[in-house]
Each structure stands twice: as structure tokens, then as C-alpha cells.
Amino acid sequence: MMKIKLAKKSTKLFTLLLMAGAICACQSRAEKFFHLAQEKIEQRQFLDAVDLLENSAELEKNNRLWSKTEFEIARILRFEIHDYNKALLVYRELILKSEDASIRLLSQEAIAEVYFENIQDYTTAVKEYLLLESLIKDPEKLEQIRLKIAQCYRYTGSFKTALEYIDVFLGPAKYEKNAFLKLKAQTFTSLGQYDEAVKNYHLILANDAKYFADENLYVVVAMTYEEKQDYKAAIAYLTHNKDKIKDQSYYDLRIKRLNEKLVNKPFTKGVRK
């Protein structure tokens, strides 16, 4: 009886050792595939790298390492191969299966960015950003996400919704105040409310002259007057701020074009026939 018990224990131990050995073998193979993929990435052989990483992920038993591998697959698909639809599938799988909360959050952010920046499907992007908004704790990142949401509304033609959304978050904004004001001005321009647009551009100038110059908003304000067909105001604004415009060749060309438009504008003295 004792021998039978010892035999059973030995068999069980042997089975466990075999299982452990198999797991270690799989784990080492997963690591091997991962390291081979890194070599392919360095050689810019991205399709081969993805194949190797997929093999690594399939063998990987550790969820943290699996998440890392899958996230790398998605990164290559997005930024190197530009297969956005496949990248989205990988990011969504990470959200469902990864045990790493930071990876899940980064994947949701990546999904929203792919729709916004790469596919330019702003209707879907706004849904993904609204979902992301409820997950973000960092105040600076949260403002950036809310700015993207407002941009999505503008790009889909929901101008009034964009303005309402901007107004809710513009007041308490600490990091993206100028960007919110700029987007608000752009939205008023899209609505044909040019005076309101110029008013908001001037709020930016009063708040941050450096940002105003860096964003080339002197030219943008002149273009807003031009869209309004107030060519005299556009010329006067450009002339007054000539020394603040970085590209003087553009300034000269713009003044020339505006003068031509002014001469050809109906009901203007000297109109050409």
C-alpha cells in the first residue's frame, strides 16, 4: 500500500514537472519570437515583425507580457504599416482582455486617436472620446480630450453643439484656454459670424501675444476679414501688423491679392468690366 501511494505521488510529481517544463518551453519560445521581432523592427521589416509578435502573443501565458506584445503589434500596425482597421481590432482586444488598467486606458485613447487623426471619422471619434473623457483623471489630459471632442463636433458640422461644449469648459480651462478660444473663433467663422470670430481671436491676443504670433493668427484674422469680403479691413490689419508676420513673401502676395479683390469687388469705385 505504501509503495502504491509513493508510486502515485511520483507519477503526480512527474506530471507536474512535465507540465512545468512545457510551460517553460512555451514561455521561452514566446520570448524568442519577441526578440526576433525586435530585430525585424530594427531592420524595418514590419510585416515580419508583426507575424513574429503574433506568434509570441499566442504562446504567452503571462497577461502582462501578452498585453505588452499586443500593444506593440497595434503600434506597428498603426504607425508603420498604417493598417488602421487591424490596429483597432487589437486595441479593442486589449480593452477586453488586458489585466493592466493603464494598457486598457492607453488602448481606448489610441482608438479615439485613430478615428480622429488617421481615419478622420469624426462621428465615431467623438463617441470614443466621450467614453475616454469619463476615464481620464489627469486635468491637463482631460482638457486635451475635451478640446478634441469640441473639434469633432465642429468637423461634423455640429457648430452650435461645439460652441455649447466649448463654453462649458472654457471658463475653468487652465491648460488649453487659448486653444479653446481659437476653436471657438474657427467655429464662428464656419457659421459666417465673422465679427464674433475676430472678437475671440482678439481675446487670445490679449491673453497670450506669443501664442497668437506662434499660431500665425495675425494672418488668420486678416483671412477672416477676407471671408467677410471686408477687403479694406483685411489690408489695414495686415499692414498694421506687418512686422509681426513671419513670412514676408506671403504678406506681399496676400496684400497683392487683396488689392485685386478690392478693385474687382462689386459696387467698388474703379470696378473692372
Side-chain angles (χ1 to χ4, degrees):
M1 181 68 71
M2 181 67 70
K3 287 183 179 179
I4 293 172
K5 286 182 178 180
L6 287 172
K8 285 183 177 179
K9 285 183 178 180
S10 297
T11 303
K12 186 176 180 182
L13 179 60
F14 181 71
T15 302
L16 289 171
L17 287 171
L18 282 176
M19 290 174 64
I23 290 170
C24 289
C26 289
Q27 186 65 29
S28 63
R29 286 180 65 201
E31 290 173 354
K32 183 178 179 181
F33 280 126
F34 188 87
H35 290 308
L36 287 171
Q38 298 307 306
E39 293 177 9
K40 292 296 183 182
I41 291 169
E42 290 176 5
Q43 297 164 11
R44 302 193 64 78
Q45 297 177 19
F46 298 115
L47 289 172
D48 290 341
V50 167
D51 286 340
L52 289 164
L53 287 169
E54 286 176 340
N55 288 332
S56 177
E58 188 175 348
L59 293 167
E60 187 58 69
K61 304 302 180 183
N62 183 299
N63 187 272
R64 181 182 63 82
L65 295 175
W66 174 85
S67 299
K68 176 185 174 182
T69 304
E70 288 287 314
F71 198 79
E72 179 67 358
I73 291 170
R75 184 195 69 78
I76 295 171
L77 288 168
R78 179 185 175 189
F79 293 106
E80 306 296 351
I81 300 176
H82 307 301
D83 189 340
Y84 304 121
N85 289 324
K86 191 172 179 181
L88 286 169
L89 290 174
V90 178
Y91 285 129
R92 291 194 188 283
E93 187 176 17
L94 280 163
I95 289 172
L96 289 173
K97 297 181 180 179
S98 179
E99 296 171 4
D100 188 329
S102 63
I103 288 287
R104 295 197 301 270
L105 184 61
L106 287 170
S107 296
Q108 179 59 41
E109 185 175 356
I111 288 170
E113 287 176 351
V114 167
Y115 280 115
F116 185 88
E117 298 173 3
N118 304 122
I119 301 177
Q120 296 181 349
D121 177 354
Y122 301 115
T123 300
T124 305
V126 73
K127 294 175 184 177
E128 299 294 346
Y129 274 126
L130 285 168
L131 177 59
L132 182 63
E133 181 187 22
S134 63
L135 304 173
I136 297 294
K137 304 300 181 185
D138 178 71
E140 185 172 4
K141 173 65 75 173
L142 186 58
E143 281 192 26
Q144 292 168 358
I145 297 303
R146 285 169 171 167
L147 181 65
K148 290 285 180 65
I149 291 169
Q151 288 174 324
C152 286
Y153 284 134
R154 176 174 175 256
Y155 291 151
T156 55
S158 302
F159 302 126
K160 290 184 178 179
T161 303
L163 288 172
E164 289 170 0
Y165 194 86
I166 291 167
D167 283 339
V168 169
F169 297 107
L170 178 58
K174 294 181 179 178
Y175 306 98
E176 299 293 339
K177 194 175 192 71
N178 292 326
F180 272 120
L181 282 169
K182 180 182 173 183
L183 182 59
K184 189 174 183 180
Q186 291 169 330
T187 307
F188 275 125
T189 299
S190 298
L191 285 166
Q193 298 180 31
Y194 303 112
D195 292 336
E196 284 297 319
V198 170
K199 176 183 174 182
N200 279 276
Y201 282 127
H202 285 163
L203 286 175
I204 298 172
L205 180 58
N207 184 54
D208 191 338
K210 185 179 183 302
Y211 178 91
F212 195 88
D214 289 345
E215 292 293 308
N216 208 26
L217 295 183
Y218 290 104
V219 170
V220 173
V221 171
M223 290 173 65
T224 306
Y225 283 125
E226 186 176 352
E227 287 193 50
K228 189 184 175 183
Q229 297 188 2
D230 189 346
Y231 305 127
K232 285 184 177 180
I235 292 168
Y237 191 83
L238 283 174
T239 303
H240 181 72
N241 294 292
K242 179 180 179 180
D243 61 330
K244 297 171 185 143
I245 295 169
K246 297 175 183 178
D247 189 345
Q248 288 299 306
S249 61
Y250 174 84
Y251 167 84
D252 294 336
L253 180 62
R254 195 76 254 146
I255 289 292
K256 180 182 177 183
R257 294 285 182 262
L258 285 166
N259 277 313
E260 289 173 356
K261 286 185 175 183
L262 184 61
V263 170
N264 287 289
K265 185 179 179 181
F267 312 112
T268 301
K269 185 178 180 181
V271 67
R272 295 176 185 175
K273 296 182 180 180

